[in-house]
Amino acid sequence: MTIRVSFSGVQKTCLALVAAAGSFIAGVLMPVDPPSEPASVRLTNILKPAVKLDLEFPSVKAIADQRVEQWWDSITQGQDEGKKKQVFSSPASFQGKIVQQAELAGQEKVIALTFDDGPWIDTTEKVLNILKQYQVKATFFWIGKHLKLYPHIAKKVVVQGHAIGNHTWNHPYSLNPSEATKEIEDTATLIYQVTDVKTSLFRPPGGVLNNGLAAYAQQQKYTVMMWSADSRDWNTGTSTSTMIDNVLRNTRSGGIVLLHDGGGNRWQTVEALPVIIAEFKNRGYKFVTVPELLQMEENERKIRAK
Ligand SMILES: [Zn+2]
């Protein structure tokens, strides 16, 4: 006997839904196969989606990169890769003059640290780090041929707010007077090309004043900057403790200290520097750049004139 069953359209739909629900429930209730993989492999499989998730959102990385770029732009704005347009000029009464130290009558004790013969690999940056740590601004007298070798180091000096002076191209002691022009002008040109800095401070190599360099500098209205305390760090035989003693023994307010960050191995200068700074601070000194020091004397002079 055959039983014939017929369904209307609505009934067919209901039946299809029941059948689908039934197969879903059957699937859920069906016993799960025991895991065939070891636990470590299963754990890796569980972690996989997280890694995939990260790769599926490259936009997060793009946003982070953009933020880093914006932050970098904000701190380097106007610096043009380490350049900083500025002029280190001397007050009118110091132009064309030779200066050993500032004559100051004020109560405030000040001192100017100067570093010659750089920029130099390694030691200039070590000096910069120490100055930054102690929040000291100093003055660097550059040699043109060293600046040509290490322009990236020079830019760091300028960006960190130190003053700059000219210390000739080749650091000659004796020369044909006609060569003085080139020694000073080529260095001035390169200082400007590399850092956008113009300076009217000149330091004669070895402090020699009679070989034509100082005469040319004076004629060009540079201030010829000598010093009042020589650390003698240029002599490799000078011990660190003697350097420290040389500086501290010979200094009073308005003084200019001669140190070297380049031109040779200056590890002893690097070693002596924190001690020198700390001792000056103990004695109540404030650190200024050479242009600031000259301006202080100029200001006192103006007040006295009134
Ligand atoms: Zn020198």
Side-chain angles (χ1 to χ4, degrees):
M1 194 172 76
T2 310
I3 300 168
R4 292 177 67 92
V5 183
S6 74
F7 297 104
S8 71
V10 174
Q11 281 170 325
K12 275 181 191 165
T13 308
C14 287
L15 200 68
L17 283 172
V18 169
S23 82
F24 174 70
I25 291 163
V28 169
L29 295 178
M30 210 132 48
V32 179
D33 287 340
S36 57
E37 294 166 323
S40 61
V41 175
R42 271 181 283 131
L43 188 65
T44 313
N45 287 342
I46 292 163
L47 290 172
K48 259 184 194 162
V51 176
K52 204 176 166 197
L53 196 70
D54 191 35
L55 293 172
E56 278 170 0
F57 292 98
S59 58
V60 173
K61 188 180 177 298
I63 290 165
D65 285 350
Q66 196 187 351
R67 284 201 181 142
V68 169
E69 264 171 43
Q70 283 169 352
W71 166 79
W72 181 247
D73 285 349
S74 72
I75 62 163
T76 57
Q77 212 162 25
Q79 288 179 358
D80 186 18
E81 296 171 351
K83 290 186 173 187
K84 201 174 176 185
K85 254 193 200 329
Q86 53 191 328
V87 180
F88 295 110
S89 58
S90 320
S93 58
F94 288 101
Q95 290 171 12
K97 299 290 190 308
I98 299 170
V99 177
Q100 268 87 26
Q101 65 174 61
E103 300 301 330
L104 298 173
Q107 290 297 307
E108 196 177 34
K109 289 200 278 187
V110 294
I111 193 88
L113 299 183
T114 65
F115 295 90
D116 287 10
D117 298 1
W120 199 252
I121 197 88
D122 191 42
T123 37
T124 299
E125 280 164 304
K126 287 199 167 103
V127 164
L128 285 180
N129 288 341
I130 295 166
L131 296 176
K132 196 174 186 179
Q133 188 191 338
Y134 286 90
Q135 296 180 303
V136 170
K137 297 297 181 210
T139 306
F140 290 77
F141 289 91
W142 285 338
I143 292 177
K145 67 178 180 184
H146 296 169
L147 176 58
K148 197 176 178 187
L149 286 174
Y150 310 118
H152 58 291
I153 299 174
K155 287 175 179 186
K156 287 183 184 173
V157 178
V158 169
V159 167
Q160 291 191 19
H162 303 289
I164 305 302
N166 185 324
H167 195 38
T168 73
W169 189 271
N170 290 301
H171 206 268
Y173 295 121
S174 62
L175 67 165
N176 183 323
S178 66
E179 292 167 331
T181 309
K182 196 167 162 53
E183 284 287 335
I184 293 173
E185 294 301 341
D186 285 0
T187 305
T189 302
L190 191 63
I191 289 173
Y192 187 67
Q193 279 172 358
V194 171
T195 61
D196 266 359
V197 162
K198 287 187 177 177
T199 181
S200 64
L201 306 173
F202 174 74
R203 175 163 279 164
V208 178
L209 293 171
N210 59 2
N211 59 9
L213 285 167
Y216 177 78
Q218 285 178 277
Q219 188 194 321
Q220 298 303 312
K221 295 189 175 176
Y222 279 86
T223 304
V224 176
M225 296 306 312
M226 302 295 279
W227 53 85
S228 58
D230 182 357
S231 66
R232 295 182 65 83
D233 63 344
W234 43 268
N235 180 348
T236 48
T238 311
S239 71
T240 304
S241 60
T242 305
M243 282 179 201
I244 296 165
D245 186 52
N246 287 343
V247 171
L248 296 171
R249 182 164 39 93
N250 291 313
T251 309
R252 61 181 177 87
S253 183
I256 297 169
V257 177
L258 176 67
L259 294 156
H260 291 78
D261 64 319
N265 189 340
R266 303 301 180 201
W267 70 269
Q268 283 174 300
T269 308
V270 171
E271 202 173 72
L273 186 57
V275 182
I276 291 169
I277 293 173
E279 186 51 33
F280 274 128
K281 287 198 168 185
N282 276 345
R283 297 182 187 185
Y285 278 88
K286 253 186 69 183
F287 294 90
V288 293
T289 64
V290 166
E292 287 169 342
L293 189 69
L294 299 180
Q295 193 57 52
M296 287 178 80
E297 186 181 325
E298 180 80 355
N299 292 348
E300 281 194 6
R301 202 177 297 174
K302 279 179 184 165
I303 290 167
R304 276 198 302 273
K306 278 178 187 170

